[in-house]
Coordinates of all heavy atoms in Angstrom, one line a residue:
T11 N -50.2 -23.4 -4.4 CA -49.2 -22.8 -3.4 C -48.1 -23.9 -3.1 O -48.3 -25.1 -3.3 CB -49.9 -22.5 -2.0 OG1 -50.4 -23.7 -1.4 CG2 -51.1 -21.5 -2.3
V21 N -46.1 -36.1 -5.7 CA -44.8 -35.5 -5.7 C -43.9 -36.1 -4.6 O -42.7 -36.4 -4.9 CB -45.0 -34.0 -5.4 CG1 -43.6 -33.3 -5.2 CG2 -45.7 -33.3 -6.5
S34 N -28.7 -45.8 -4.4 CA -28.2 -47.0 -5.1 C -27.0 -46.7 -5.9 O -26.1 -47.5 -6.1 CB -29.3 -47.7 -5.9 OG -30.4 -48.1 -5.1
S41 N -33.1 -36.1 -0.9 CA -34.5 -36.3 -0.4 C -35.1 -35.0 0.1 O -34.8 -33.9 -0.3 CB -34.5 -37.4 0.6 OG -35.8 -37.8 0.9
E58 N -35.8 -11.4 -0.9 CA -34.8 -10.4 -0.5 C -34.6 -9.4 -1.7 O -34.3 -8.3 -1.5 CB -33.5 -11.1 -0.2 CG -33.5 -11.9 1.1 CD -33.8 -11.0 2.3 OE1 -33.3 -9.9 2.4 OE2 -34.4 -11.5 3.3
Q65 N -44.2 -14.9 -7.9 CA -42.9 -15.4 -8.3 C -42.2 -16.2 -7.2 O -41.5 -17.2 -7.4 CB -42.0 -14.3 -8.8 CG -42.5 -13.6 -10.1 CD -42.2 -14.5 -11.3 OE1 -41.1 -14.7 -11.7 NE2 -43.3 -14.9 -11.9
H87 N -32.0 -35.7 -15.9 CA -33.1 -35.7 -14.9 C -33.8 -34.4 -14.9 O -35.0 -34.3 -14.5 CB -32.6 -36.1 -13.5 CG -31.8 -35.0 -12.9 ND1 -30.5 -34.7 -13.2 CD2 -32.1 -34.1 -11.9 CE1 -30.0 -33.7 -12.4 NE2 -31.0 -33.3 -11.7
V93 N -41.0 -32.6 -17.5 CA -42.1 -33.2 -18.1 C -43.0 -33.8 -17.1 O -44.3 -33.7 -17.1 CB -41.6 -34.3 -19.1 CG1 -42.8 -35.1 -19.6 CG2 -40.9 -33.7 -20.3
K101 N -52.6 -31.7 -14.4 CA -53.7 -32.5 -13.9 C -54.5 -31.9 -12.7 O -55.7 -32.1 -12.6 CB -53.1 -33.8 -13.4 CG -54.1 -34.9 -13.0 CD -53.5 -36.2 -12.6 CE -54.5 -37.3 -12.2 NZ -53.8 -38.6 -11.9
A105 N -52.6 -22.9 -13.6 CA -52.6 -22.0 -14.8 C -51.4 -22.3 -15.7 O -50.3 -22.5 -15.2 CB -52.6 -20.5 -14.3
V113 N -41.9 -25.4 -15.1 CA -41.2 -26.4 -15.8 C -39.9 -25.9 -16.5 O -38.9 -26.6 -16.7 CB -42.1 -27.1 -16.8 CG1 -43.3 -27.8 -16.1 CG2 -42.6 -26.2 -17.9
H119 N -32.1 -26.5 -14.5 CA -31.3 -26.4 -13.2 C -30.1 -27.3 -13.2 O -29.2 -27.1 -12.4 CB -32.2 -26.8 -12.0 CG -32.3 -28.3 -11.8 ND1 -33.3 -29.1 -12.3 CD2 -31.5 -29.1 -11.0 CE1 -33.1 -30.3 -11.9 NE2 -32.0 -30.4 -11.1
L134 N -33.6 -20.9 -8.5 CA -33.5 -22.3 -8.3 C -32.1 -22.8 -8.5 O -31.5 -23.6 -7.7 CB -34.4 -23.1 -9.3 CG -34.3 -24.6 -9.3 CD1 -34.4 -25.2 -7.9 CD2 -35.3 -25.2 -10.3
V147 N -23.9 -36.2 3.1 CA -23.1 -37.4 3.0 C -23.8 -38.5 3.7 O -24.1 -38.4 4.9 CB -21.7 -37.2 3.5 CG1 -20.9 -38.5 3.4 CG2 -21.0 -36.1 2.7
A155 N -12.2 -42.1 -0.8 CA -12.3 -42.6 -2.2 C -13.2 -41.7 -3.1 O -13.1 -41.6 -4.3 CB -12.8 -44.0 -2.3
V161 N -15.9 -33.6 -0.4 CA -16.1 -32.1 -0.5 C -17.3 -31.7 0.4 O -17.2 -30.8 1.1 CB -16.2 -31.7 -1.9 CG1 -16.7 -30.2 -2.0 CG2 -14.8 -31.8 -2.6
Y163 N -18.6 -33.3 2.9 CA -18.3 -33.6 4.3 C -17.4 -32.5 4.9 O -17.4 -32.2 6.1 CB -17.7 -35.0 4.5 CG -17.7 -35.4 5.9 CD1 -18.9 -35.8 6.5 CD2 -16.6 -35.6 6.6 CE1 -19.0 -36.2 7.9 CE2 -16.6 -36.0 8.0 CZ -17.8 -36.3 8.6 OH -17.8 -36.7 9.9
V165 N -17.4 -29.4 4.2 CA -18.1 -28.1 4.4 C -18.8 -28.1 5.8 O -19.8 -28.7 6.0 CB -19.1 -27.8 3.3 CG1 -19.9 -26.5 3.6 CG2 -18.4 -27.7 2.0
K174 N -29.5 -6.8 -1.5 CA -30.2 -6.1 -2.5 C -29.6 -4.7 -2.8 O -29.4 -4.3 -4.0 CB -31.7 -5.9 -2.2 CG -32.5 -5.2 -3.3 CD -33.9 -5.0 -2.9 CE -34.7 -4.3 -4.0 NZ -36.2 -4.1 -3.6
E194 N -10.1 -29.1 -4.5 CA -11.0 -30.2 -4.8 C -12.4 -29.7 -5.0 O -13.2 -30.2 -5.8 CB -11.0 -31.3 -3.7 CG -9.7 -32.1 -3.8 CD -9.8 -33.3 -2.9 OE1 -10.2 -33.2 -1.7 OE2 -9.5 -34.5 -3.4
R202 N -20.7 -25.4 -11.7 CA -21.8 -24.9 -10.9 C -21.7 -23.5 -10.5 O -22.7 -22.7 -10.5 CB -22.0 -25.8 -9.7 CG -22.2 -27.3 -10.1 CD -22.4 -28.1 -8.8 NE -22.3 -29.6 -9.2 CZ -22.5 -30.6 -8.4 NH1 -22.8 -30.3 -7.1 NH2 -22.4 -31.8 -8.7
N204 N -19.9 -21.2 -12.0 CA -20.1 -20.4 -13.2 C -21.5 -20.2 -13.6 O -22.0 -19.1 -14.0 CB -19.3 -21.0 -14.4 CG -17.8 -20.9 -14.3 OD1 -17.3 -20.1 -13.7 ND2 -17.1 -21.8 -15.0
G214 N -29.9 -9.4 -11.7 CA -29.4 -8.1 -11.6 C -28.3 -8.0 -10.5 O -28.1 -6.9 -10.0
F217 N -22.4 -12.4 -8.4 CA -22.2 -13.6 -7.5 C -20.8 -13.6 -7.0 O -19.8 -13.5 -7.7 CB -22.5 -14.9 -8.3 CG -22.3 -16.1 -7.4 CD1 -23.3 -16.5 -6.5 CD2 -21.2 -16.9 -7.6 CE1 -23.2 -17.6 -5.8 CE2 -21.0 -18.1 -6.8 CZ -22.0 -18.4 -5.9
E225 N -12.1 -14.5 -0.7 CA -12.9 -14.3 -1.9 C -12.3 -15.1 -3.0 O -11.2 -14.8 -3.4 CB -13.2 -12.9 -2.2 CG -14.2 -12.7 -3.3 CD -14.5 -11.2 -3.5 OE1 -14.8 -10.5 -2.6 OE2 -14.5 -10.8 -4.7

Side-chain angles (χ1 to χ4, degrees):
T11 69
V21 174
S34 298
S41 191
E58 293 294 326
Q65 291 289 293
H87 75 280
V93 174
K101 186 176 181 180
V113 299
H119 84 268
L134 172 56
V147 177
V161 168
Y163 194 69
V165 176
K174 182 180 180 181
E194 286 190 312
R202 301 179 192 184
N204 287 337
F217 180 78
E225 186 174 312

